[in-house]
Amino acid sequence: MDNGKPAPPTTNDVLERLRSLEYQGLLDNLLRYYYELKTEDDPCYFVNMIQVFLQDVPKTIDSMREILYQDFVNFARLKDLIVKVKGSANWIGALKMSKASSNLLHQFEIASKSGCMTALNEVKVVFDELRTHLDSLIQLELEVFAK
């Protein structure tokens, strides 16, 4: 502390937050690996990657929900969206969300519309929890970047 003000956050603070999310089972170590890849040439890489994930996934979840609420379910389109969400979760190492997406895919494979709806709700709950942490992580990284 200097003059009663807390020290500005550092890269180590971001890494520690990532380790905490790994410990909680929300992430595996992939996002931390991506963080360590950022360079001076592209300092916003990490933040941009997370922002794309946070913008894309809710739209995909909403599209799946719309499909499932139809009388005639477009199963081909639904499968594409399930695979997209699962791939997005795997892409950033969102372990808990990937597991929830795997359950959604399983419900799809056994042709359970009600199971898909329940599993999609779980994906949404896990995503919302993850989003809170990732928004906080972005804010922390922006504070590090600003100094």
CSV table of all heavy atoms in Angstrom, one decimal, residues 67-113:
chain,number,residue,atom,x,y,z
A,67,ILE,N,-35.2,-23.5,-30.6
A,67,ILE,CA,-35.5,-24.7,-31.4
A,67,ILE,C,-36.2,-25.7,-30.5
A,67,ILE,O,-37.2,-26.4,-31.0
A,67,ILE,CB,-34.1,-25.3,-31.8
A,67,ILE,CG1,-33.5,-24.5,-32.9
A,67,ILE,CG2,-34.3,-26.8,-32.2
A,67,ILE,CD1,-32.1,-24.8,-33.3
A,68,LEU,N,-35.8,-25.8,-29.2
A,68,LEU,CA,-36.5,-26.8,-28.3
A,68,LEU,C,-37.9,-26.4,-28.0
A,68,LEU,O,-38.7,-27.3,-27.7
A,68,LEU,CB,-35.7,-27.0,-27.1
A,68,LEU,CG,-34.4,-27.8,-27.2
A,68,LEU,CD1,-33.5,-27.6,-26.0
A,68,LEU,CD2,-34.7,-29.2,-27.5
A,69,TYR,N,-38.3,-25.2,-28.1
A,69,TYR,CA,-39.7,-24.8,-27.8
A,69,TYR,C,-40.6,-24.9,-29.0
A,69,TYR,O,-41.8,-24.6,-28.9
A,69,TYR,CB,-39.7,-23.4,-27.2
A,69,TYR,CG,-39.3,-23.4,-25.7
A,69,TYR,CD1,-38.2,-22.7,-25.3
A,69,TYR,CD2,-40.1,-24.0,-24.8
A,69,TYR,CE1,-37.8,-22.7,-24.0
A,69,TYR,CE2,-39.7,-24.0,-23.4
A,69,TYR,CZ,-38.6,-23.4,-23.0
A,69,TYR,OH,-38.2,-23.4,-21.7
A,70,GLN,N,-40.0,-25.3,-30.1
A,70,GLN,CA,-40.9,-25.5,-31.3
A,70,GLN,C,-41.6,-26.8,-31.3
A,70,GLN,O,-41.1,-27.8,-30.7
A,70,GLN,CB,-40.0,-25.4,-32.6
A,70,GLN,CG,-39.3,-24.1,-32.8
A,70,GLN,CD,-40.2,-23.0,-33.1
A,70,GLN,OE1,-41.2,-23.1,-33.8
A,70,GLN,NE2,-39.9,-21.8,-32.4
A,71,ASP,N,-42.8,-26.9,-31.9
A,71,ASP,CA,-43.5,-28.2,-32.0
A,71,ASP,C,-42.7,-29.2,-32.8
A,71,ASP,O,-42.6,-30.3,-32.4
A,71,ASP,CB,-44.9,-28.0,-32.6
A,71,ASP,CG,-45.8,-27.2,-31.7
A,71,ASP,OD1,-45.6,-27.3,-30.4
A,71,ASP,OD2,-46.7,-26.6,-32.2
A,72,PHE,N,-42.1,-28.7,-33.9
A,72,PHE,CA,-41.2,-29.5,-34.7
A,72,PHE,C,-39.8,-29.1,-34.4
A,72,PHE,O,-39.4,-28.0,-34.8
A,72,PHE,CB,-41.6,-29.4,-36.2
A,72,PHE,CG,-40.6,-30.1,-37.1
A,72,PHE,CD1,-40.6,-31.5,-37.2
A,72,PHE,CD2,-39.6,-29.4,-37.8
A,72,PHE,CE1,-39.7,-32.1,-38.0
A,72,PHE,CE2,-38.7,-30.0,-38.6
A,72,PHE,CZ,-38.8,-31.4,-38.7
A,73,VAL,N,-39.0,-30.0,-33.8
A,73,VAL,CA,-37.6,-29.6,-33.5
A,73,VAL,C,-36.7,-29.9,-34.6
A,73,VAL,O,-36.7,-31.0,-35.2
A,73,VAL,CB,-37.2,-30.4,-32.2
A,73,VAL,CG1,-35.7,-30.2,-31.9
A,73,VAL,CG2,-38.1,-30.1,-31.0
A,74,ASN,N,-35.9,-28.9,-35.0
A,74,ASN,CA,-34.9,-29.1,-36.1
A,74,ASN,C,-33.7,-29.7,-35.4
A,74,ASN,O,-32.8,-29.0,-35.0
A,74,ASN,CB,-34.6,-27.7,-36.7
A,74,ASN,CG,-33.6,-27.8,-37.8
A,74,ASN,OD1,-32.9,-28.8,-38.0
A,74,ASN,ND2,-33.5,-26.8,-38.6
A,75,PHE,N,-33.7,-31.0,-35.4
A,75,PHE,CA,-32.6,-31.7,-34.7
A,75,PHE,C,-31.2,-31.6,-35.3
A,75,PHE,O,-30.2,-31.5,-34.6
A,75,PHE,CB,-32.9,-33.2,-34.5
A,75,PHE,CG,-34.0,-33.5,-33.4
A,75,PHE,CD1,-35.3,-33.7,-33.8
A,75,PHE,CD2,-33.6,-33.4,-32.1
A,75,PHE,CE1,-36.2,-34.0,-32.8
A,75,PHE,CE2,-34.5,-33.6,-31.1
A,75,PHE,CZ,-35.9,-33.9,-31.4
A,76,ALA,N,-31.2,-31.4,-36.6
A,76,ALA,CA,-29.9,-31.2,-37.3
A,76,ALA,C,-29.3,-29.9,-36.8
A,76,ALA,O,-28.1,-29.8,-36.5
A,76,ALA,CB,-30.1,-31.2,-38.8
A,77,ARG,N,-30.1,-28.8,-36.8
A,77,ARG,CA,-29.6,-27.5,-36.4
A,77,ARG,C,-29.3,-27.6,-34.9
A,77,ARG,O,-28.3,-27.0,-34.5
A,77,ARG,CB,-30.7,-26.5,-36.7
A,77,ARG,CG,-30.3,-25.1,-36.2
A,77,ARG,CD,-29.2,-24.5,-37.1
A,77,ARG,NE,-28.8,-23.1,-36.6
A,77,ARG,CZ,-27.6,-22.7,-36.4
A,77,ARG,NH1,-26.6,-23.4,-36.7
A,77,ARG,NH2,-27.4,-21.5,-36.0
A,78,LEU,N,-30.1,-28.2,-34.1
A,78,LEU,CA,-29.8,-28.3,-32.7
A,78,LEU,C,-28.5,-29.0,-32.4
A,78,LEU,O,-27.7,-28.5,-31.6
A,78,LEU,CB,-30.9,-29.1,-32.0
A,78,LEU,CG,-30.8,-29.3,-30.5
A,78,LEU,CD1,-30.8,-27.9,-29.8
A,78,LEU,CD2,-31.9,-30.2,-29.9
A,79,LYS,N,-28.2,-30.1,-33.1
A,79,LYS,CA,-26.9,-30.7,-32.9
A,79,LYS,C,-25.7,-29.8,-33.3
A,79,LYS,O,-24.7,-29.7,-32.5
A,79,LYS,CB,-26.8,-32.0,-33.7
A,79,LYS,CG,-25.5,-32.7,-33.5
A,79,LYS,CD,-25.4,-34.0,-34.2
A,79,LYS,CE,-24.1,-34.8,-33.9
A,79,LYS,NZ,-24.0,-36.0,-34.6
A,80,ASP,N,-25.9,-29.1,-34.3
A,80,ASP,CA,-24.8,-28.1,-34.7
A,80,ASP,C,-24.5,-27.1,-33.6
A,80,ASP,O,-23.4,-26.8,-33.3
A,80,ASP,CB,-25.2,-27.3,-36.0
A,80,ASP,CG,-25.2,-28.2,-37.2
A,80,ASP,OD1,-24.6,-29.3,-37.2
A,80,ASP,OD2,-25.8,-27.7,-38.3
A,81,LEU,N,-25.6,-26.6,-33.0
A,81,LEU,CA,-25.5,-25.6,-31.9
A,81,LEU,C,-24.9,-26.2,-30.7
A,81,LEU,O,-24.1,-25.6,-30.0
A,81,LEU,CB,-26.8,-25.0,-31.6
A,81,LEU,CG,-27.4,-24.1,-32.8
A,81,LEU,CD1,-28.8,-23.7,-32.5
A,81,LEU,CD2,-26.5,-22.9,-33.1
A,82,ILE,N,-25.3,-27.5,-30.3
A,82,ILE,CA,-24.7,-28.1,-29.2
A,82,ILE,C,-23.2,-28.3,-29.4
A,82,ILE,O,-22.4,-28.0,-28.4
A,82,ILE,CB,-25.4,-29.5,-28.9
A,82,ILE,CG1,-26.9,-29.3,-28.5
A,82,ILE,CG2,-24.7,-30.3,-27.9
A,82,ILE,CD1,-27.7,-30.6,-28.5
A,83,VAL,N,-22.8,-28.8,-30.5
A,83,VAL,CA,-21.4,-29.0,-30.8
A,83,VAL,C,-20.6,-27.6,-30.8
A,83,VAL,O,-19.5,-27.6,-30.2
A,83,VAL,CB,-21.2,-29.7,-32.2
A,83,VAL,CG1,-19.7,-29.7,-32.6
A,83,VAL,CG2,-21.7,-31.1,-32.1
A,84,LYS,N,-21.3,-26.6,-31.2
A,84,LYS,CA,-20.7,-25.2,-31.2
A,84,LYS,C,-20.4,-24.8,-29.7
A,84,LYS,O,-19.3,-24.3,-29.4
A,84,LYS,CB,-21.6,-24.2,-31.9
A,84,LYS,CG,-21.0,-22.8,-31.9
A,84,LYS,CD,-22.0,-21.9,-32.7
A,84,LYS,CE,-21.4,-20.5,-32.7
A,84,LYS,NZ,-22.3,-19.6,-33.4
A,85,VAL,N,-21.4,-24.9,-28.9
A,85,VAL,CA,-21.2,-24.5,-27.5
A,85,VAL,C,-20.2,-25.4,-26.8
A,85,VAL,O,-19.4,-24.9,-26.0
A,85,VAL,CB,-22.6,-24.6,-26.7
A,85,VAL,CG1,-22.4,-24.5,-25.2
A,85,VAL,CG2,-23.5,-23.4,-27.2
A,86,LYS,N,-20.3,-26.7,-27.0
A,86,LYS,CA,-19.3,-27.6,-26.4
A,86,LYS,C,-17.9,-27.2,-26.9
A,86,LYS,O,-16.9,-27.2,-26.1
A,86,LYS,CB,-19.6,-29.0,-26.7
A,86,LYS,CG,-18.7,-30.0,-26.0
A,86,LYS,CD,-19.2,-31.4,-26.2
A,86,LYS,CE,-18.4,-32.5,-25.6
A,86,LYS,NZ,-17.2,-32.2,-24.8
A,87,GLY,N,-17.7,-27.0,-28.2
A,87,GLY,CA,-16.4,-26.6,-28.7
A,87,GLY,C,-15.9,-25.3,-28.2
A,87,GLY,O,-14.7,-25.1,-27.8
A,88,SER,N,-16.8,-24.3,-28.0
A,88,SER,CA,-16.5,-23.0,-27.4
A,88,SER,C,-16.0,-23.2,-26.0
A,88,SER,O,-15.0,-22.6,-25.6
A,88,SER,CB,-17.6,-22.1,-27.5
A,88,SER,OG,-18.0,-21.7,-28.8
A,89,ALA,N,-16.7,-24.0,-25.2
A,89,ALA,CA,-16.3,-24.3,-23.8
A,89,ALA,C,-14.9,-24.9,-23.8
A,89,ALA,O,-14.1,-24.6,-23.0
A,89,ALA,CB,-17.3,-25.2,-23.1
A,90,ASN,N,-14.7,-25.9,-24.7
A,90,ASN,CA,-13.4,-26.6,-24.7
A,90,ASN,C,-12.3,-25.6,-25.1
A,90,ASN,O,-11.2,-25.7,-24.7
A,90,ASN,CB,-13.5,-27.8,-25.7
A,90,ASN,CG,-14.3,-28.9,-25.1
A,90,ASN,OD1,-14.5,-29.1,-23.9
A,90,ASN,ND2,-14.8,-29.8,-26.0
A,91,TRP,N,-12.6,-24.7,-26.0
A,91,TRP,CA,-11.7,-23.8,-26.6
A,91,TRP,C,-11.0,-22.9,-25.5
A,91,TRP,O,-9.8,-22.6,-25.6
A,91,TRP,CB,-12.4,-22.9,-27.6
A,91,TRP,CG,-11.6,-21.9,-28.3
A,91,TRP,CD1,-10.4,-22.0,-29.0
A,91,TRP,CD2,-11.9,-20.5,-28.3
A,91,TRP,NE1,-10.0,-20.8,-29.4
A,91,TRP,CE2,-10.9,-19.8,-29.1
A,91,TRP,CE3,-12.9,-19.7,-27.8
A,91,TRP,CZ2,-10.9,-18.5,-29.3
A,91,TRP,CZ3,-12.9,-18.4,-28.1
A,91,TRP,CH2,-11.9,-17.8,-28.8
A,92,ILE,N,-11.8,-22.5,-24.5
A,92,ILE,CA,-11.2,-21.7,-23.5
A,92,ILE,C,-11.0,-22.5,-22.2
A,92,ILE,O,-10.5,-21.9,-21.2
A,92,ILE,CB,-12.1,-20.5,-23.1
A,92,ILE,CG1,-13.4,-20.8,-22.5
A,92,ILE,CG2,-12.3,-19.6,-24.3
A,92,ILE,CD1,-14.0,-19.7,-21.7
A,93,GLY,N,-11.2,-23.8,-22.2
A,93,GLY,CA,-11.0,-24.6,-21.1
A,93,GLY,C,-12.0,-24.5,-20.0
A,93,GLY,O,-11.7,-24.7,-18.8
A,94,ALA,N,-13.3,-24.2,-20.4
A,94,ALA,CA,-14.4,-24.1,-19.4
A,94,ALA,C,-14.8,-25.5,-19.1
A,94,ALA,O,-15.8,-26.0,-19.6
A,94,ALA,CB,-15.5,-23.3,-20.0
A,95,LEU,N,-14.1,-26.1,-18.2
A,95,LEU,CA,-14.3,-27.5,-17.8
A,95,LEU,C,-15.7,-27.9,-17.4
A,95,LEU,O,-16.3,-28.8,-17.9
A,95,LEU,CB,-13.3,-27.9,-16.7
A,95,LEU,CG,-13.2,-29.4,-16.3
A,95,LEU,CD1,-12.7,-30.2,-17.5
A,95,LEU,CD2,-12.2,-29.5,-15.1
A,96,LYS,N,-16.3,-27.1,-16.5
A,96,LYS,CA,-17.6,-27.4,-16.0
A,96,LYS,C,-18.7,-27.2,-17.0
A,96,LYS,O,-19.6,-28.0,-17.2
A,96,LYS,CB,-17.9,-26.5,-14.8
A,96,LYS,CG,-19.1,-26.9,-14.0
A,96,LYS,CD,-19.2,-26.0,-12.7
A,96,LYS,CE,-20.4,-26.4,-11.9
A,96,LYS,NZ,-20.5,-25.5,-10.7
A,97,MET,N,-18.5,-26.2,-17.9
A,97,MET,CA,-19.4,-26.0,-19.0
A,97,MET,C,-19.3,-27.1,-20.0
A,97,MET,O,-20.3,-27.5,-20.6
A,97,MET,CB,-19.2,-24.6,-19.6
A,97,MET,CG,-20.3,-24.2,-20.6
A,97,MET,SD,-20.1,-22.5,-21.0
A,97,MET,CE,-21.1,-22.6,-22.5
A,98,SER,N,-18.1,-27.5,-20.3
A,98,SER,CA,-17.9,-28.6,-21.2
A,98,SER,C,-18.6,-29.9,-20.8
A,98,SER,O,-19.3,-30.6,-21.6
A,98,SER,CB,-16.4,-28.9,-21.4
A,98,SER,OG,-16.2,-29.9,-22.3
A,99,LYS,N,-18.5,-30.1,-19.5
A,99,LYS,CA,-19.2,-31.3,-18.9
A,99,LYS,C,-20.7,-31.2,-19.1
A,99,LYS,O,-21.4,-32.1,-19.5
A,99,LYS,CB,-18.8,-31.5,-17.5
A,99,LYS,CG,-17.4,-32.0,-17.3
A,99,LYS,CD,-17.1,-32.2,-15.9
A,99,LYS,CE,-15.6,-32.6,-15.7
A,99,LYS,NZ,-15.2,-32.7,-14.3
A,100,ALA,N,-21.2,-30.0,-18.8
A,100,ALA,CA,-22.7,-29.7,-18.9
A,100,ALA,C,-23.1,-29.9,-20.4
A,100,ALA,O,-24.2,-30.4,-20.7
A,100,ALA,CB,-23.1,-28.4,-18.4
A,101,SER,N,-22.3,-29.4,-21.3
A,101,SER,CA,-22.5,-29.5,-22.7
A,101,SER,C,-22.5,-31.0,-23.2
A,101,SER,O,-23.3,-31.4,-24.1
A,101,SER,CB,-21.5,-28.7,-23.5
A,101,SER,OG,-21.6,-27.3,-23.2
A,102,SER,N,-21.6,-31.7,-22.6
A,102,SER,CA,-21.6,-33.2,-22.9
A,102,SER,C,-22.9,-33.9,-22.5
A,102,SER,O,-23.4,-34.7,-23.2
A,102,SER,CB,-20.4,-33.8,-22.2
A,102,SER,OG,-19.2,-33.4,-22.8
A,103,ASN,N,-23.4,-33.5,-21.4
A,103,ASN,CA,-24.7,-34.0,-20.9
A,103,ASN,C,-25.8,-33.6,-21.9
A,103,ASN,O,-26.6,-34.4,-22.3
A,103,ASN,CB,-25.0,-33.6,-19.5
A,103,ASN,CG,-26.3,-34.2,-19.1
A,103,ASN,OD1,-26.6,-35.4,-19.3
A,103,ASN,ND2,-27.2,-33.4,-18.4
A,104,LEU,N,-25.7,-32.4,-22.4
A,104,LEU,CA,-26.7,-31.9,-23.4
A,104,LEU,C,-26.6,-32.7,-24.7
A,104,LEU,O,-27.6,-33.2,-25.2
A,104,LEU,CB,-26.5,-30.4,-23.7
A,104,LEU,CG,-27.4,-29.8,-24.7
A,104,LEU,CD1,-28.9,-30.0,-24.4
A,104,LEU,CD2,-27.1,-28.3,-24.9
A,105,LEU,N,-25.4,-33.0,-25.1
A,105,LEU,CA,-25.2,-33.8,-26.3
A,105,LEU,C,-25.7,-35.2,-26.1
A,105,LEU,O,-26.4,-35.8,-26.9
A,105,LEU,CB,-23.7,-33.8,-26.7
A,105,LEU,CG,-23.4,-34.5,-28.0
A,105,LEU,CD1,-24.1,-34.0,-29.2
A,105,LEU,CD2,-21.9,-34.5,-28.2
A,106,HIS,N,-25.5,-35.8,-24.9
A,106,HIS,CA,-26.0,-37.1,-24.6
A,106,HIS,C,-27.5,-37.1,-24.6
A,106,HIS,O,-28.1,-38.0,-25.2
A,106,HIS,CB,-25.5,-37.5,-23.2
A,106,HIS,CG,-26.2,-38.8,-22.7
A,106,HIS,ND1,-25.8,-40.0,-23.3
A,106,HIS,CD2,-27.1,-39.0,-21.8
A,106,HIS,CE1,-26.6,-41.0,-22.7
A,106,HIS,NE2,-27.3,-40.4,-21.8
A,107,GLN,N,-28.2,-36.1,-24.1
A,107,GLN,CA,-29.7,-36.0,-24.1
A,107,GLN,C,-30.1,-35.9,-25.6
A,107,GLN,O,-31.2,-36.5,-25.9
A,107,GLN,CB,-30.2,-34.9,-23.3
A,107,GLN,CG,-29.9,-35.0,-21.8
A,107,GLN,CD,-30.5,-36.2,-21.2
A,107,GLN,OE1,-31.6,-36.6,-21.5
A,107,GLN,NE2,-29.7,-36.9,-20.4
A,108,PHE,N,-29.4,-35.2,-26.4
A,108,PHE,CA,-29.7,-35.1,-27.8
A,108,PHE,C,-29.6,-36.5,-28.4
A,108,PHE,O,-30.5,-36.9,-29.2
A,108,PHE,CB,-28.8,-34.1,-28.5
A,108,PHE,CG,-28.9,-34.2,-30.0
A,108,PHE,CD1,-29.9,-33.5,-30.6
A,108,PHE,CD2,-28.0,-34.9,-30.7
A,108,PHE,CE1,-30.0,-33.5,-32.0
A,108,PHE,CE2,-28.1,-35.0,-32.1
A,108,PHE,CZ,-29.1,-34.3,-32.8
A,109,GLU,N,-28.5,-37.2,-28.1
A,109,GLU,CA,-28.3,-38.5,-28.8
A,109,GLU,C,-29.3,-39.6,-28.4
A,109,GLU,O,-29.6,-40.5,-29.2
A,109,GLU,CB,-26.9,-39.0,-28.4
A,109,GLU,CG,-25.8,-38.2,-29.1
A,109,GLU,CD,-24.4,-38.5,-28.7
A,109,GLU,OE1,-24.2,-39.1,-27.6
A,109,GLU,OE2,-23.5,-38.0,-29.4
A,110,ILE,N,-29.9,-39.4,-27.2
A,110,ILE,CA,-31.0,-40.4,-26.8
A,110,ILE,C,-32.4,-39.9,-27.2
A,110,ILE,O,-33.4,-40.4,-26.8
A,110,ILE,CB,-30.9,-40.8,-25.3
A,110,ILE,CG1,-31.1,-39.6,-24.4
A,110,ILE,CG2,-29.6,-41.5,-25.0
A,110,ILE,CD1,-31.2,-40.0,-22.9
A,111,ALA,N,-32.4,-38.7,-27.9
A,111,ALA,CA,-33.6,-38.1,-28.4
A,111,ALA,C,-34.6,-37.8,-27.4
A,111,ALA,O,-35.8,-38.0,-27.5
A,111,ALA,CB,-34.2,-39.1,-29.5
A,112,SER,N,-34.1,-37.2,-26.3
A,112,SER,CA,-35.0,-36.8,-25.2
A,112,SER,C,-35.1,-35.2,-25.2
A,112,SER,O,-34.2,-34.5,-24.8
A,112,SER,CB,-34.4,-37.2,-23.9
A,112,SER,OG,-35.1,-36.6,-22.8
A,113,LYS,N,-36.2,-34.8,-25.8
A,113,LYS,CA,-36.5,-33.3,-25.8
A,113,LYS,C,-36.5,-32.7,-24.4
A,113,LYS,O,-35.9,-31.7,-24.2
A,113,LYS,CB,-37.8,-33.1,-26.6
A,113,LYS,CG,-38.1,-31.6,-26.7
A,113,LYS,CD,-39.4,-31.3,-27.5
A,113,LYS,CE,-39.7,-29.9,-27.6
A,113,LYS,NZ,-40.9,-29.6,-28.4
